[in-house]
Amino acid sequence: MQVAVVVYDGVFDSGLSAVLDVLSNANALGGRIHESSPTWNVTLVGPTPQVRTGAGFLVSPEPLEVAETADLLVVPALGESDASALLDHVGGEVSRPVRDLIARTRARGTTVASACAGTFLLAEAGVLDGLRATTTWWLSPAFRTRYPKVRLDHSQMVIGCEGVITAGAAFGHVDLALAIVRAGSPALADLVARYLVVDERPSQAAYTIPSALAESDPTLAAFEVWTREHLAEPISIPEAARAIGVSERTLQRAVQRTVGTSPIRFVQDLRIERASHLLRTTGLSLETISRRVGYEHPNTLRVLLRERTGKTTSALRGSK
């Protein structure tokens, strides 16, 4: 497979190197699986003869036109965590050559892949409209606002949909690259993961910080504060709305707009966050922790923890 990896000024160094290292290791380890294992021929392409990465390293790529014959286009993230600055970049003239390349690549049916903030470039180029996709969790409020036609989904770390592959935050680039390898050889992807000591991370849910998302909207922020103060009690959404001075409909819209879920689901997220913290940092029984986060029956909490974090209660205790 001919793979073109886009580099541009400010590209996220770890994201770029993760993609290159995983594919390089796949090529090196392929012979241990089977003589006919797939290989990935990687070429760096960029809008200028020399680009400076986010950490200041200089890279000399091939012209963007070289990507026209590639079987796969990979777009690593920009090294920018501020939503406003990121949107200025992806929507500005400086990124137009990369956006145009992404659009042309998809127009001829070639697969495009990206992770973290790089998914904003795909969305800005219009190739995610109407598709399921994911992005870095803490930038999801800005993503939802800017690209309402994209069906943003954080239930999986890597999502493939109609020729476009997206992955989650920062080191989701590793998951993205492993998904590329897995498409060619699942056994080889498993071998690379073992050599690089990479654990499978099916979702970003375990890493999401609800309070960080809530900062993006004053209504959601007020709802978060009120909920945390009443976490051990049965929570009524209409009562919560009245307490923070908005209608229930306004609250529902604010939560959906900002985090793409319902108020009840957001309450569950806060309860799971608190319960996980107590499991890691205290010796309290699961029964006691359950009552502290508003669940009468420990099994309810046990099931939710497994669904949201992918870990059992004993595993969470062992991670402290």
Side-chain angles (χ1 to χ4, degrees):
M1 174 176 283
Q2 301 296 326
V3 181
V5 178
V6 183
V7 291
Y8 51 91
D9 285 338
V11 69
F12 180 47
D13 292 70
S14 294
L16 172 61
S17 61
V19 171
L20 298 180
D21 286 344
V22 168
L23 295 181
S24 175
N25 275 272
N27 286 333
L29 295 170
R32 303 190 184 190
I33 298 294
H34 196 277
E35 289 183 1
S36 60
S37 288
T39 57
W40 291 265
N41 300 319
V42 180
T43 302
L44 297 181
V45 299
T48 56
Q50 191 172 70
V51 302
R52 187 177 296 275
T53 69
F57 293 100
L58 296 177
V59 178
S60 299
E62 298 294 324
L64 291 178
E65 291 72 25
V66 172
E68 302 290 347
T69 57
D71 303 305
L72 170 68
L73 181 71
V74 180
V75 186
L78 176 71
E80 177 59 71
S81 59
D82 178 75
S84 178
L86 174 61
L87 291 173
D88 286 345
H89 176 91
V90 300
E93 285 301 311
V94 66
S95 70
R96 181 177 294 279
V98 175
R99 297 198 310 268
D100 289 347
L101 172 65
I102 294 168
R104 291 196 307 272
T105 300
R106 280 305 301 140
R108 66 172 182 270
T110 300
T111 299
V112 175
S114 187
C116 192
T119 58
F120 280 70
L121 280 166
L122 271 58
E124 195 73 24
V127 304
L128 292 180
D129 287 354
L131 305 185
R132 281 179 65 241
T134 192
T135 190
T136 179
W137 65 263
W138 72 84
L139 291 170
S140 60
F143 191 100
R144 282 192 175 90
T145 300
R146 179 87 162 197
Y147 311 113
K149 295 180 181 179
V150 182
R151 293 183 284 137
L152 195 61
D153 184 352
H154 288 316
S155 65
Q156 297 172 254
M157 181 65 80
V158 180
I159 291 178
C161 186
E162 297 185 23
V164 182
I165 308 171
T166 53
F171 291 103
H173 286 85
V174 175
D175 303 86
L176 178 70
L178 283 173
I180 292 169
V181 175
R182 186 168 288 110
S185 171
L188 180 54
D190 291 342
L191 183 63
V192 172
R194 290 174 69 88
Y195 267 85
L196 296 182
V197 196
V198 178
D199 293 326
E200 183 179 4
R201 297 172 295 179
S203 169
Q204 297 183 85
Y207 306 92
T208 302
I209 303 172
S211 57
L213 297 176
E215 293 174 357
S216 302
D217 184 279
T219 298
L220 182 55
F223 177 53
E224 185 222 353
V225 171
W226 186 91
T227 300
R228 288 188 185 279
E229 292 173 350
H230 299 81
L231 213 53
E233 309 165 16
I235 288 179
S236 162
I237 300 305
E239 179 185 350
R242 287 193 298 271
I244 64 175
V246 299
S247 69
E248 183 179 358
R249 187 174 181 81
T250 296
L251 176 58
Q252 290 173 338
R253 285 176 171 174
V255 178
Q256 181 65 43
R257 179 178 63 246
T258 307
V259 296
T261 189
S262 67
I264 288 295
R265 174 90 181 195
F266 187 71
V267 170
Q268 290 176 341
D269 289 343
L270 293 176
R271 284 174 163 162
I272 293 304
E273 179 190 57
R274 176 74 61 82
S276 298
H277 174 74
L278 292 173
L279 283 167
R280 289 194 303 267
T281 61
T282 75
L284 294 173
S285 68
L286 184 62
E287 290 77 8
T288 299
I289 292 174
S290 297
R291 290 193 297 270
R292 288 195 179 188
V293 298
Y295 293 116
E296 182 178 351
H297 302 292
N299 194 53
T300 301
L301 176 61
R302 185 180 287 111
V303 171
L304 281 171
L305 283 167
R306 185 61 185 249
E307 287 178 352
R308 302 295 176 82
T309 69
K311 296 182 179 180
T312 62
T313 54
S314 58
L316 286 166
R317 283 200 188 279
S319 62
K320 61 184 178 180

